[in-house]
Amino acid sequence: MEPAPTRLPGPGAPTPHTEPGEPSEERKFRVLVGVTGSVAALKLPLLVSGLLEVPGLEVAVVTTERAKHFYSPRDIAVTLYSDADEWEMWKQRSDPVLHIELRRWADLMLVAPLDANTLGKVASGLCDNLLTCVIRAWDRSKPLLFCPAMNTAMWEHPITAQQVDQLKAFGYIEIPCVAKKLVCGDQGLGAMAEVETIVDKVREILSQLGGSQHS
Ligand code: PCO
């Protein structure tokens, strides 16, 4: 595992102090949540608090600009990164590049919800914002989970299955969408999996990887 960058996830946060020879505090398993502009981003506060209830997890969020429409940052108890942070952090050659720092920092990435637009970008390798840059640079030896969420007509378009299959071919894990009455009134597949299902899947992966034994 690569060393932890000292400034992440809270810019300027102090690193825990340990005396030489003293065992360092066991480090937590780091989950980076990516959130995109589907109405299911309404559930971000619930998702973050669900993840924080899992013992041994540390959580940070990367948001797209469109996703910001659906939640209030005041309801998110963890560090939230967006595109402006990438550009504010980098001023000169020696400065950290945020999307690379984040892909190093995270042990697992969870994209929830993954909207139709970002699904298309990720399937074809486009990276025009902080979130898609983290995914484009993702270390595929670490798990990446994605939770599609979109209107039923979009979900049923044949391009969607092709793109989901492409992500699975990269080794990413789909947490399938479910059928319900969507916010736009349509009834059918396309709703993001329940938060409980998503948190359970993270727990399952965590236990497969041997708990929070990350140092
Ligand atoms: C509707 N689009 C959507 C996107 C997916 N919807 C969902 C659920 C939420 C409520 O349970 C919003 C999480 O319906 O994931 O609704 C029209 S374009």
Side-chain angles (χ1 to χ4, degrees), residues 38-40 42-43 149-151 180-185 190-193:
S38 161
V39 66
L42 288 168
K43 296 209 170 167
M150 63 193 74
N151 170 267
K180 65 161 71 160
K181 183 157 188 182
L182 300 179
V183 165
C184 55
M192 187 172 80

Side-chain angles (χ1 to χ4, degrees), residues 4-13 15 79 81 89 95-96 101 105:
T6 47
R7 293 182 64 210
L8 290 174
T15 34
T79 307
Y81 293 100
M89 194 174 275
D95 288 344
E101 295 299 318
W105 177 83

Side-chain angles (χ1 to χ4, degrees), residues 192-207:
M192 187 172 80
E194 297 300 339
V195 166
E196 203 186 331
T197 310
I198 299 171
V199 174
D200 283 351
K201 187 71 191 175
V202 172
R203 278 183 207 272
E204 183 191 316
I205 305 258
L206 186 61
S207 71

Side-chain angles (χ1 to χ4, degrees), residues 11-212:
T15 34
H17 177 75
T18 45
E19 295 299 329
E22 212 178 50
S24 59
E25 200 179 291
E26 190 178 281
R27 103 146 167 74
K28 292 185 169 176
F29 186 85
R30 299 160 173 172
V31 175
L32 184 61
V33 177
V35 56
T36 73
S38 161
V39 66
L42 288 168
K43 296 209 170 167
L44 181 65
L46 209 59
L47 177 61
V48 169
S49 41
L51 289 169
L52 289 174
E53 277 169 23
V54 179
L57 282 199
E58 186 174 356
V59 179
V61 176
V62 179
T63 186
T64 64
E65 294 306 304
R66 292 299 178 211
K68 288 178 176 176
H69 191 69
F70 297 106
Y71 63 86
S72 164
R74 286 189 301 277
D75 298 333
I76 311 299
V78 299
T79 307
L80 184 63
Y81 293 100
S82 60
D83 294 350
D85 297 308
E86 175 102 283
W87 302 108
E88 275 159 26
M89 194 174 275
W90 200 93
K91 298 278 191 295
Q92 57 183 21
R93 279 177 75 100
S94 56
D95 288 344
V97 174
L98 183 56
H99 64 272
I100 299 301
E101 295 299 318
L102 286 171
R103 58 87 77 186
R104 286 193 186 124
W105 177 83
D107 298 313
L108 178 150
M109 174 129 210
L110 168 66
V111 189
L114 175 62
D115 68 13
N117 187 45
T118 303
L119 170 64
K121 288 188 199 176
V122 173
S124 57
L126 293 180
C127 43
D128 61 351
N129 59 35
L130 179 60
L131 174 59
T132 49
C133 283
V134 177
I135 299 173
R136 188 68 175 77
W138 189 247
D139 173 353
R140 290 183 306 111
S141 69
K142 299 177 186 177
L144 185 150
L145 280 53
F146 64 98
C147 308
M150 63 193 74
N151 170 267
T152 305
M154 289 177 164
W155 179 257
E156 288 174 349
H157 191 287
I159 193 72
T160 308
Q162 287 180 25
Q163 292 172 342
V164 167
D165 285 349
Q166 178 63 70
L167 267 59
K168 292 202 266 192
F170 293 149
Y172 305 157
I173 300 160
E174 180 189 12
I175 304 180
C177 63
V178 295
K180 65 161 71 160
K181 183 157 188 182
L182 300 179
V183 165
C184 55
D186 285 355
Q187 166 74 44
L189 271 173
M192 187 172 80
E194 297 300 339
V195 166
E196 203 186 331
T197 310
I198 299 171
V199 174
D200 283 351
K201 187 71 191 175
V202 172
R203 278 183 207 272
E204 183 191 316
I205 305 258
L206 186 61
S207 71
Q208 282 168 5
L209 293 175
S212 54

